Amino acid sequence: MHGAAHTGEPHHTSLGERLNWLRAGVLGANDGIVSVAGLVVGVAGATTDRTAIMIAGVASLVAGALSMAGGEYVSVSTQRDTEQAALRLERYELETMPEAEERELAGIYEDKGLSPELAAEVARELTEYDALEAHAEAELGIDPDELTSPWHAAWASLVAFTCGGLLPLIAIALPPVSLRVSACAAAVVVGLVVTGWLSARLGNAPIGRAVARNVGVGALTMVVTYLVGLLFGVTTG
């Protein structure tokens, strides 16, 4: 009856993990928008040569996407190695001192508010069902069957950054010279409003503040890089 009442409702860690992936994707797209926009607007401040702007923009897009993917791969690989080492230690302790580990598990549930008798019973039944999973989740906060893949994280970051970076790249490539920077800035503001709204929704944060912060950082980046581009263009000209 309980299962029928909640059919299709997400439970346990899968929902949180999906939200983390979505949040990471939104942040990756946001980084792509701001990074590429800052560079192409800066170059546009120094020159009106469409080819130079596009070469710089594409180079920024490729370098940024690969950097994000590589950084995510290294970071998640390190996290995964740490988790696997902790699981190996936990597995060894379960094999060599099972009684002590069961008492430790019972103590964890006592600390969460269960009575000593109920905590001992829960620890015993969970240990009998799957000792490693029970201890890993309670002691380490790890699901042995749900370790994050560094390759998945790398590809997700690469795709998210690329999708975000394409927005300012296309927006500055299509309009005529007189509208190039303003069209790019407008497109970037719209993109940042969307990513700010999404990040706030996923994190249950105030939407207005998140959007304002997102747009403010992006606008400041474009203004600064454009002024640098103007200065560089005047100096070299």
Side-chain angles (χ1 to χ4, degrees), residues 15-33 64-65 68-69 71-73 75-76 79 148-165 195-196 198-203 214:
L15 176 60
E17 187 169 340
R18 284 197 297 272
L19 288 176
N20 285 336
W21 278 106
L22 286 171
R23 191 177 295 111
V26 170
L27 293 176
N30 190 80
D31 286 344
I33 293 172
M68 285 283 291
E72 196 69 18
Y73 177 81
S75 175
V76 174
Q79 175 186 334
T148 305
S149 167
W151 285 109
H152 290 168
W155 279 110
S157 293
L158 187 146
V159 170
F161 188 97
T162 300
C163 290
T195 56
L198 284 173
S199 63
R201 291 283 294 175
L202 291 171
N214 223 29

Side-chain angles (χ1 to χ4, degrees), residues 27-52:
L27 293 176
N30 190 80
D31 286 344
I33 293 172
V34 175
S35 298
V36 176
L39 191 137
V40 295
V41 167
V43 175
T47 179
T48 58
D49 187 341
R50 188 188 303 271
T51 300

Side-chain angles (χ1 to χ4, degrees), residues 79 82-94 101 104-105 108-109 112 131-144 147:
Q79 175 186 334
T82 302
E83 291 174 342
Q84 288 176 331
L87 289 173
R88 284 194 298 270
L89 177 60
E90 192 64 38
R91 188 178 290 110
Y92 171 78
E93 290 177 344
L94 286 169
E101 284 295 297
E104 182 180 10
L105 184 60
I108 291 174
Y109 287 112
K112 290 183 177 181
L132 180 61
E133 181 177 352
H135 286 260
E137 181 180 2
E139 296 180 33
L140 308 173
I142 299 173
D143 185 342
L147 298 182

